[in-house]
Amino acid sequence: MKFHSVVVALMSLFFVETSLSGAPVSTHKEGNSIPGTNVAKTDKSSVENQSLQRTLSIIKPDAVEENLVDSINARFTQGGLQIIAQKKLHLTKSQVEKFYEVHRGKVFYDGLCEYMSSGPVMVQVMCGKNAVSKNREIMGSTNPNEAKIGTVRKDFGKDIRHNAVHGSDSVENANIEISFFFSELELMQ
Ligand code: IDP
Ligand code: MG
């Protein structure tokens, strides 16, 4: 009886953690969770899926123009991330300005918005264990010259602006950025 109470308390803690850490994603196909929601059942598979996350990735205009999409995608998928949705979009400058609102006022903001609206980009939702940090690890530092060997930005980026890819920087921002580009319907697996 006492043991049962401890188990119940531990499971409750998991639920609190889950609801505070953004929208966990389950890839379990047998209805253990509702995609895009915090609803999960208390079975073993949902506990194992606690750290599954989604993140937003963008392949930037020059990398798309240079046909690097497949090569870049391979880096992320080989690193354990699954691309669950992607679409090519040619964003207007005002759409990019809204997306990068957090950088408004910085010296590079206008150039960044010009660049990101200069041609089609590939926007993608990636899913996997600790997807946000995993994506950023595979992507590498903002400045390709400072990025580690073998990272996407080191191998495909040109300079600090033309650095091949965007990746969300937190679970919270990932959810905001994903819903900027994708509807719930597009993310249903
Ligand atoms: P991140 O993409 O690594 O998260 P952020 O600081 O969020 O880096 O910057 C967003 C984007 O703005 C970068 O990916 C890059 O394209 C551009 N950027 C950042 N810093 C500079 C800069 O100092 N000069 C020019 N462009 C920059
Ligand atoms: Mg950023």
Side-chain angles (χ1 to χ4, degrees):
M1 191 61 189
K2 218 172 169 188
F3 175 73
H4 176 78
S5 309
V6 172
V7 170
V8 170
L10 279 174
M11 295 311 291
S12 309
L13 268 176
F14 263 117
F15 272 120
V16 170
E17 168 94 43
T18 299
S19 61
L20 289 176
S21 63
V25 182
S26 171
T27 53
H28 197 74
K29 300 278 186 190
E30 289 156 32
N32 284 309
S33 75
I34 299 171
T37 75
N38 290 330
V39 179
K41 288 183 186 172
T42 56
D43 65 5
K44 192 168 174 278
S45 64
S46 68
V47 170
E48 284 168 353
N49 285 339
Q50 291 302 311
S51 58
L52 276 182
Q53 295 169 352
R54 284 173 177 169
T55 194
L56 185 91
S57 178
I58 304 177
I59 303 181
K60 297 189 176 184
D62 48 339
V64 170
E65 168 74 22
E66 290 157 25
N67 285 318
L68 295 173
V69 170
D70 289 346
S71 307
I72 290 174
N73 283 353
R75 298 293 183 93
F76 289 109
T77 54
Q78 281 160 12
L81 294 173
Q82 193 191 351
I83 299 166
I84 61 166
Q86 67 175 346
K87 57 188 173 189
K88 199 188 253 189
L89 296 173
H90 191 160
L91 301 167
T92 65
K93 191 165 178 217
S94 60
Q95 287 169 333
V96 175
E97 283 170 352
K98 179 107 174 44
F99 179 74
Y100 279 117
E101 187 70 40
V102 66
H103 294 303
R104 189 181 287 276
K106 293 184 184 166
V107 283
F108 61 83
Y109 179 70
D110 197 54
L112 172 64
C113 296
E114 281 286 348
Y115 163 53
M116 289 299 284
S117 57
S118 66
V121 294
M122 190 67 86
V123 291
Q124 310 171 308
V125 179
M126 296 186 181
C127 178
K129 205 167 177 218
N130 300 318
V132 173
S133 58
K134 176 55 81 176
N135 164 273
R136 288 197 69 93
E137 184 191 317
I138 296 167
M139 180 170 81
S141 300
T142 306
N143 188 342
N145 296 327
E146 292 165 11
K148 283 189 192 156
I149 289 168
T151 60
V152 171
R153 282 171 162 173
K154 184 71 173 182
D155 294 345
F156 301 106
K158 300 183 180 83
D159 55 49
I160 194 167
R161 173 176 298 151
H162 307 89
N163 56 5
V165 283
H166 164 88
S168 307
D169 63 4
S170 66
V171 171
E172 189 188 0
N173 284 335
N175 290 330
I176 293 168
E177 292 178 359
I178 288 168
S179 54
F180 186 86
F181 289 113
F182 293 91
S183 70
E184 197 157 325
L185 197 66
E186 290 173 296
L187 299 174
M188 286 180 79
Q189 296 183 75

